[in-house]
């Protein structure tokens, strides 16, 4: 046999993304409202699916027990109950507008990415060049889609800075913006670094005009997505509940359970299927029935797997953050997707999708799953944190904010001061990290805060305080 006639047999494993697998992945990360809408569509399209009567559920009501810290620290009123009116999340609200306003598939993909890069206040955190590289599209196309998204409700959303946020709101209210006001807003941050008369003169504006503009800003919002903020968690329906154990022998335990109100109600009508199967004669009809039966079974399995994975991840979060429920942010422990993936036996990408757009009701309120995942910093083993080798960046940010909230307004804490205080408390943190966390928390520098305190004390800017200019 010649060389050209030889047959080379090789074995390899290739993961094929079938349509059903792709849909299962989408189901895993859908917020419950989107999921409910999808299930309703499936019920309308598939005659073998039905909505159960009397609140019947395809999910088990058996709770998963999780023995953690004592719950006696909290009274009944401290427990965050989920039986409250549902409202849209910011992502859901914007996604619906995206589907209505933008039809081009590529532009929609860019829009979805921009939505994912919003912070809780509705500001765009991502860099447009980076987003363009991520999606392999020209940055000009990203800018064009961003301009369209900046016309969405609520006014001011997708702004990249506070000045742009105010400008978008003015354009939405009046249809246009005064050129002097536009110039003023483009240089808004300069008024926090320098005296108002100097900047007004440099811009060719009068002091009276600038003062008038500052008064106008009082009617605008520095947090365009505040109505969707996690602060208003009472309006959210959580996917998972932490409930006090009713077992008298487990008075220090919590039950971690799925919230059936957030689960789609759907069942397979087996009786109808068997009836039709006996009656149908043609091959085409029987083939259609078989396909619908397979689709219905797949949907129920996918929903059950989604619920199971959600509960497994939630349970691991609850166990990992056991001290947080009673001690608060000072006991917040770092947690990564990899840690959870290893603990529950799922792929890291699966955990990432489970975490997306899901909420848990806890003794301290309703939190998104994402809230519990943060980066870590290394700490010395002989410090006030009881020999913890890793500290949560979220906990450090919380401590920073407390220190700044309580600072002497006459002598605001510099980044160097914060580094020293942190180090004295056993947190070996670098100045650049303090600077980064300040920006994450939208806290001005010490010089900017001193300037604001002085303006407030003189009453020259009583209408625009720190909360009116910066996002806390």
């Amino acid at each position: 046999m010649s060389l050209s006639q030889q047959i080379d047999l090789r074995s390899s494993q290739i993961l094929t993304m079938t349509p059903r697998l792709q849909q299962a992945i989408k189901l895993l990360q859908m917020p419950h409202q989107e999921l409910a809408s999808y299930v309703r569509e499936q019920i309308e399209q598939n005659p073998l699916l039905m909505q159960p009567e009397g609140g019947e559920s395809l999910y088990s009501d058996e709770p998963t027990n999780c023995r953690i810290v004592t719950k006696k620290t909290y009274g009944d009123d401290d427990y965050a109950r989920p039986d409250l009116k549902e409202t849209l999340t910011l992502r859901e609200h914007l996604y619906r507008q995206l589907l209505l306003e933008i039809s081009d598939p590529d532009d929609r993909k860019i829009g979805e990415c921009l939505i994912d890069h919003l912070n809780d206040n509705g500001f765009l955190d991502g860099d447009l060049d980076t987003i363009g590289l991520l999606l392999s599209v020209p940055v000009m196309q990203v800018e064009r889609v961003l301009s369209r998204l900046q016309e969405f409700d609520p006014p001011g959303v997708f702004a990249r800075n506070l000045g742009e946020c105010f400008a978008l709101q003015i354009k939405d209210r009046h249809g246009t913006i005064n050129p002097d006001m536009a110039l003023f807003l483009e240089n808004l941050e300069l008024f926090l670094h320098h005296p108002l008369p100097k900047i007004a003169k440099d811009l060719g504006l009068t002091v009276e005009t600038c003062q008038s503009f500052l008064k106008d800003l009082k009617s605008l919002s520095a947090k365009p997505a505040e109505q969707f903020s996690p602060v208003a968690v009472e309006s959210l329906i959580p996917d998972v509940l932490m409930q006090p154990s009713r077992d008298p022998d487990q008075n220090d335990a919590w039950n971690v359970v799925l919230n059936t109100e957030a689960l789609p109600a759907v069942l397979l009508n087996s009786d109808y299927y068997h009836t039709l199967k006996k009656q149908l004669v043609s091959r085409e009809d029987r083939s259609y029935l078989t396909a619908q039966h397979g689709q219905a079974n797949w949907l129920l399995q996918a929903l059950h797997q989604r619920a199971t994975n959600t509960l497994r991840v939630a349970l691991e979060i609850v166990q990992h953050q056991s001290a947080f429920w009673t001690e608060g942010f000072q006991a917040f422990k770092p947690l990564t997707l990899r840690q959870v993936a290893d603990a529950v036996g799922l792929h890291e990408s699966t955990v990432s999708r489970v975490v997306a757009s899901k909420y848990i009701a806890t003794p301290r309120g309703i939190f998104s799953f994402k809230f519990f995942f943060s980066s870590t910093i290394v700490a010395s083993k002989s410090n006030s944190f009881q020999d913890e080798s890793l500290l949560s960046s979220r906990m450090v940010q919380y401590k920073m904010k407390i220190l700044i909230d309580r600072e002497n307004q006459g002598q605001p804490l510099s980044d160097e001061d914060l580094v020293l205080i942190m180090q004295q408390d056993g947190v070996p943190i670098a100045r650049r990290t303090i600077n980064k966390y300040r920006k994450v928390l939208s806290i001005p520098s010490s010089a900017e805060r001193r300037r604001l305190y002085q303006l407030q004390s003189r009453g020259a800017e009583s209408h625009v305080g720190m909360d009116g200019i910066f996002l806390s």
Side-chain angles (χ1 to χ4, degrees):
M1 181 181 295
S2 66
L3 182 62
S4 62
Q5 293 176 314
Q6 292 181 1
I7 299 177
D8 186 13
L9 299 178
R10 298 182 181 181
S11 175
S12 63
Q13 291 183 335
I14 300 177
L15 177 61
T16 303
M17 290 289 287
T18 64
R20 282 191 175 180
L21 178 57
Q22 292 176 353
Q23 192 59 42
I25 290 174
K26 289 183 179 179
L27 290 179
L28 192 59
Q29 59 192 12
M30 277 186 184
H32 67 80
Q33 184 150 353
E34 287 184 27
L35 182 65
S37 177
Y38 173 79
V39 169
R40 283 194 298 269
E41 291 177 2
Q42 296 302 304
I43 293 175
E44 293 173 359
Q45 298 171 10
N46 193 325
L48 300 182
L49 292 173
M50 59 179 289
Q51 285 187 314
E53 298 178 359
E56 185 180 0
S57 173
L58 63 90
Y59 304 96
S60 170
D61 290 331
E62 286 297 316
T64 299
N65 290 326
C66 173
R67 291 187 63 82
I68 57 172
V69 295
T70 176
K71 65 175 185 294
K72 292 181 180 179
T73 305
Y74 301 94
D76 292 338
D77 292 337
D78 293 313
Y79 177 65
R81 293 175 174 81
D83 52 343
L84 300 164
K85 184 177 180 181
E86 177 183 13
T87 60
L88 290 176
T89 65
L90 176 63
R91 181 183 182 278
E92 291 169 339
H93 181 62
L94 295 172
Y95 186 72
R96 288 187 175 187
Q97 295 177 75
L98 179 67
L99 295 179
L100 291 173
E101 300 294 333
I102 297 181
S103 57
D104 182 80
D106 292 336
D107 286 353
R108 277 190 180 178
K109 185 180 296 184
I110 295 173
E112 291 176 358
C113 186
L114 290 171
I115 290 174
D116 289 338
H117 279 80
L118 292 180
N119 62 26
D120 290 337
N121 291 307
F123 281 73
L124 186 64
D125 282 340
D127 176 75
L128 298 191
D129 290 325
T130 302
I131 292 175
L133 290 173
L134 179 66
L135 299 177
S136 300
V137 297
V139 68
M140 290 181 62
Q141 186 177 0
V142 180
E143 292 174 346
R144 176 171 54 79
V145 174
L146 175 62
S147 295
R148 295 189 64 184
L149 267 56
Q150 287 181 335
E151 298 175 357
F152 283 10
D153 178 78
V157 74
F158 290 103
R160 286 159 289 186
N161 54 62
L162 192 59
E164 186 176 40
C165 176
F166 288 149
L168 291 172
Q169 293 176 63
I170 294 173
K171 289 179 182 178
D172 177 77
R173 184 177 298 179
H174 302 291
T176 185
I177 184 170
N178 181 293
D180 287 346
M181 172 64 93
L183 178 63
F184 173 81
L185 292 177
E186 289 175 4
N187 297 274
L188 183 61
E189 291 190 6
L190 292 178
F191 290 94
L192 302 176
H193 294 276
H194 307 283
L196 187 148
K198 179 182 184 304
I199 302 303
K201 181 180 179 180
D202 291 343
L203 296 179
L205 302 174
T206 67
V207 172
E208 292 74 16
T209 297
C210 292
Q211 290 176 335
S212 176
F213 287 161
L214 285 172
K215 290 180 180 179
D216 291 339
L217 299 187
K218 183 180 180 182
S219 64
L220 304 177
S221 174
K223 302 179 182 180
E226 188 171 19
Q227 59 181 310
F228 301 97
S229 171
V231 174
V233 293
E234 293 82 2
S235 63
L236 297 172
I237 293 182
D239 301 84
V240 178
L241 311 176
M242 280 179 65
Q243 297 176 333
S245 174
R246 296 181 180 179
D247 189 339
D249 295 329
Q250 292 185 330
N251 60 3
D252 60 345
W254 294 91
N255 290 331
V256 181
V257 300
L258 292 169
N259 180 15
T260 55
E261 292 185 17
L263 298 174
V266 58
L267 291 175
L268 172 64
N269 193 338
S270 298
D271 292 339
Y272 186 48
Y273 166 70
H274 290 298
T275 299
L276 287 177
K277 188 176 182 180
K278 294 177 182 178
Q279 295 176 349
L280 297 180
V281 177
S282 71
R283 177 179 297 180
E284 182 179 353
D285 289 343
R286 294 178 69 85
S287 176
Y288 170 78
L289 182 64
T290 300
Q292 294 301 307
H293 186 259
Q295 176 65 20
N297 271 323
W298 169 84
L299 177 63
L300 297 183
Q301 292 171 6
L303 291 175
H304 186 272
Q305 190 63 44
R306 178 186 185 275
T308 299
N309 288 340
T310 297
L311 190 59
R312 290 167 67 187
V313 171
L315 181 57
E316 181 60 27
I317 290 174
V318 168
Q319 291 175 322
H320 186 84
Q321 298 292 357
S322 59
F324 170 66
W325 314 124
T326 54
E327 299 177 37
F329 280 97
Q330 63 182 5
F332 196 95
K333 296 176 64 177
L335 183 63
T336 65
L337 296 174
R338 169 57 61 188
Q339 285 177 276
V340 174
D342 292 341
V344 302
L346 295 173
H347 193 274
E348 188 173 349
S349 63
T350 302
V351 174
S352 176
R353 294 184 177 101
V354 169
V355 166
S357 303
K358 294 182 182 64
Y359 295 84
I360 178 172
T362 78
R364 289 191 171 273
I366 302 178
F367 296 93
S368 68
F369 278 31
K370 286 185 178 180
F371 171 84
F372 297 98
F373 294 86
S374 65
S375 58
T376 62
I377 61 173
V378 179
S380 62
K381 290 192 174 181
S382 56
N383 57 33
S384 60
F385 291 96
Q386 299 178 347
D387 295 340
E388 288 284 352
S389 60
L390 294 174
L391 301 174
S392 166
S393 61
R394 192 177 297 278
M395 181 273 289
V396 176
Q397 291 172 30
Y398 172 78
K399 185 176 180 64
M400 269 183 54
K401 191 173 187 307
I402 292 297
L403 289 171
I404 292 174
D405 286 345
R406 298 174 179 175
E407 69 185 353
N408 181 343
Q409 295 189 2
Q411 294 181 319
L413 296 170
S414 66
D415 289 354
E416 291 81 0
D417 294 333
L418 291 170
V419 168
L420 181 60
I421 294 173
M422 290 287 192
Q423 290 179 344
Q424 290 174 344
D425 207 6
V427 183
I429 193 169
R431 183 183 179 279
R432 63 179 179 275
T433 306
I434 290 288
N435 182 271
K436 180 180 75 173
Y437 287 173
R438 269 201 308 99
K439 293 179 179 178
V440 168
L441 296 170
S442 297
I443 296 176
S445 67
S446 58
E448 292 168 339
R449 298 199 306 276
R450 180 182 295 106
R451 168 70 175 158
L452 283 169
Y453 293 144
Q454 291 172 349
L455 289 172
Q456 289 172 331
S457 64
R458 292 199 305 264
E461 196 173 292
S462 59
H463 52 284
V464 182
M466 188 177 299
D467 290 338
I469 289 292
F470 289 93
L471 306 178
S472 58

